[in-house]
Amino acid sequence: MNAVRSSRSAAAPVSAEHLTHPRSLAAFRATKLLLGGYLGISVLTLVAIVLLRDDSADVNSAVWVRGTIVVVSALVTYGCAVRAARGSRSAYRRLRVISGVMVVAIAAIIALPGAFPLWMKAEQGLCGVLLIAVVALVNGSHLRSLFASK
């Protein structure tokens, strides 16, 4: 296991020249902007959940759990984007995985009948659109080649 770990950490770091390339800067700027929107919407949704907590038709336990998970995942994803923009290969991998998984989870929430109110499904749909754009950016050929193991 140590041999595997040391070979991963021995990968050449992403050069500052590649990170400051105009295409890299634009991709990370757009990614952070989209994830900032995702985080903002997620926090506003959690605020709405708190304000609507006495309305059992609009806020049930599934809404509380999902709302909390989304804020945490938005914070983690944004942090990964910031670290990836600084050259962290592991943060870039996490960013790709988390954003993809969240898109699938959002699709499931929208498709599942009953557990979530319509307002939350609409909010999740908006978050999904932002995350689909993130997935497209971070899985694009430029960023993939930037973080490819050398």
Side-chain angles (χ1 to χ4, degrees):
M1 184 161 142
N2 287 337
V4 171
R5 184 171 288 159
S6 64
S7 68
R8 284 184 184 165
S9 61
V14 178
S15 73
E17 178 183 352
H18 288 113
L19 291 172
T20 58
H21 185 279
R23 285 184 66 196
S24 303
L25 292 173
F28 282 120
R29 187 178 313 113
T31 298
K32 289 187 282 186
L33 181 65
L34 290 162
L35 289 173
Y38 171 52
L39 177 58
I41 291 167
S42 301
V43 169
L44 289 174
T45 299
L46 195 55
V47 169
I49 291 169
V50 170
L51 294 175
L52 296 170
R53 69 185 172 271
D54 294 328
D55 185 351
S56 61
D58 281 333
V59 177
N60 57 31
S61 59
V63 170
W64 276 103
V65 170
R66 179 65 189 166
T68 305
I69 288 170
V70 170
V71 170
V72 171
S73 75
L75 283 167
V76 170
T77 309
Y78 188 85
C80 287
V82 169
R83 289 190 317 279
R86 293 181 187 148
S88 171
R89 289 180 196 282
S90 61
Y92 173 70
R93 280 192 305 275
R94 286 183 190 100
L95 175 60
R96 289 181 67 196
V97 169
I98 294 169
S99 60
V101 167
M102 290 306 293
V103 167
V104 172
I106 287 169
I109 283 170
I110 292 171
L112 289 175
F116 297 95
L118 186 58
W119 71 267
M120 185 166 215
K121 288 184 179 200
E123 175 270 343
Q124 287 290 283
L126 180 57
C127 287
V129 169
L130 295 173
L131 286 175
I132 287 169
V134 169
V135 168
L137 282 166
V138 300
N139 288 292
S141 61
H142 179 74
L143 289 184
R144 275 197 343 260
S145 68
L146 189 71
F147 288 94
S149 295
K150 308 273 177 182

